[in-house]
């Protein structure tokens, strides 16, 4: 998918995020890739993480000049290392975008405990790990943005939820 994002500039010709550095978790495809494109178009230096989609990550990095970092959001140490690497590579961190997430489309009674644990590791613990690590680098005016989903408040239908007492 090659979505073009136009650059926004002020009347003085300065892009709104010139001089800022951002890290986007889960930035190799979908909404994450669009966020990377927007941030770079607006002037930010951007790093992003990807778990396994190296080919897609290389495409996004090549198109935007961003830094792709392989880091699974379920891995606490990998997330912390990605934050540190971003701050060291660019000389700081101003924006963290928590975008990485997974889900399984199945009735709750079909989920295994391992699948549940992985969802929690990526979607909850991974966000905590990134925020905790980023806090040490974010200065005055730093921003943390966490992307959510309708999955957070709408469970998939299941036969158990349709039963009546």
């Amino acid at each position: 998918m090659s979505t073009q994002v136009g650059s926004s500039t002020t009347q003085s010709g300065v892009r709104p995020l010139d001089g800022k550095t951002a890290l986007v978790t889960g930035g190799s495809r979908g909404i994450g890739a669009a966020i990377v494109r927007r941030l770079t178009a607006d002037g930010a230096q951007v790093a992003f993480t990807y778990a396994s989609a190296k080919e897609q990550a290389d495409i996004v990095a090549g198109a935007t000049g961003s830094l792709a970092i392989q880091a699974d959001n379920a891995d606490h140490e990998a997330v912390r290392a990605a934050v540190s690497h971003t701050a060291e590579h660019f000389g700081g961190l101003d924006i963290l975008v928590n975008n990485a997430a997974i889900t399984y489309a199945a009735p709750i009674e079909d989920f295994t405990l391992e699948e549940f644990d992985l969802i929690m590791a990526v979607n909850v613990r991974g966000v905590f790990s990134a925020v905790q690590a980023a806090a040490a680098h974010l200065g005055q005016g730093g921003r943390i943005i966490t992307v959510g989903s309708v999955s957070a408040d709408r469970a998939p239908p299941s036969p158990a939820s349709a039963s009546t007492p």
Side-chain angles (χ1 to χ4, degrees), residues 71-72 74-83 129:
D72 186 338
D75 181 338
H76 174 75
E77 291 305 322
V79 172
R80 294 181 66 77
V83 172
S129 298

Side-chain angles (χ1 to χ4, degrees), residues 65-143:
S66 55
L67 174 65
I69 302 171
Q70 196 285 322
D72 186 338
N73 224 48
D75 181 338
H76 174 75
E77 291 305 322
V79 172
R80 294 181 66 77
V83 172
S84 293
H85 183 70
T86 300
E88 290 167 12
H89 183 82
F90 292 118
L93 181 65
D94 302 292
I95 303 164
L96 169 65
V97 181
N98 289 300
N99 175 70
I102 61 167
T103 190
Y104 294 102
I108 192 75
E109 59 271 16
D110 293 340
F111 272 64
T112 66
L113 186 56
E114 290 77 19
E115 289 167 334
F116 176 78
D117 287 344
L118 183 58
I119 290 170
M120 291 294 110
V122 172
N123 300 357
V124 179
R125 194 179 66 222
V127 172
F128 172 80
S129 298
V131 170
Q132 187 181 51
H137 301 283
L138 295 171
Q140 184 71 24
R143 299 289 187 261

Side-chain angles (χ1 to χ4, degrees), residues 2-101:
S2 175
T3 304
Q4 296 291 357
V5 176
S7 170
S8 59
T9 58
T10 63
Q11 287 182 331
S12 65
V14 176
R15 295 181 297 174
L17 296 177
D18 277 345
K20 301 293 183 186
T21 298
L23 172 62
V24 179
T25 65
S28 65
R29 21 177 214 204
I31 292 169
I35 293 169
V36 170
R37 286 182 171 90
R38 177 85 258 167
L39 291 171
T40 57
D42 284 350
Q45 298 177 99
V46 178
F48 67 90
T49 65
Y50 67 96
S52 60
K54 181 169 177 21
E55 186 175 318
Q56 290 155 315
D58 289 343
I59 291 168
V60 173
T64 62
S66 55
L67 174 65
I69 302 171
Q70 196 285 322
D72 186 338
N73 224 48
D75 181 338
H76 174 75
E77 291 305 322
V79 172
R80 294 181 66 77
V83 172
S84 293
H85 183 70
T86 300
E88 290 167 12
H89 183 82
F90 292 118
L93 181 65
D94 302 292
I95 303 164
L96 169 65
V97 181
N98 289 300
N99 175 70

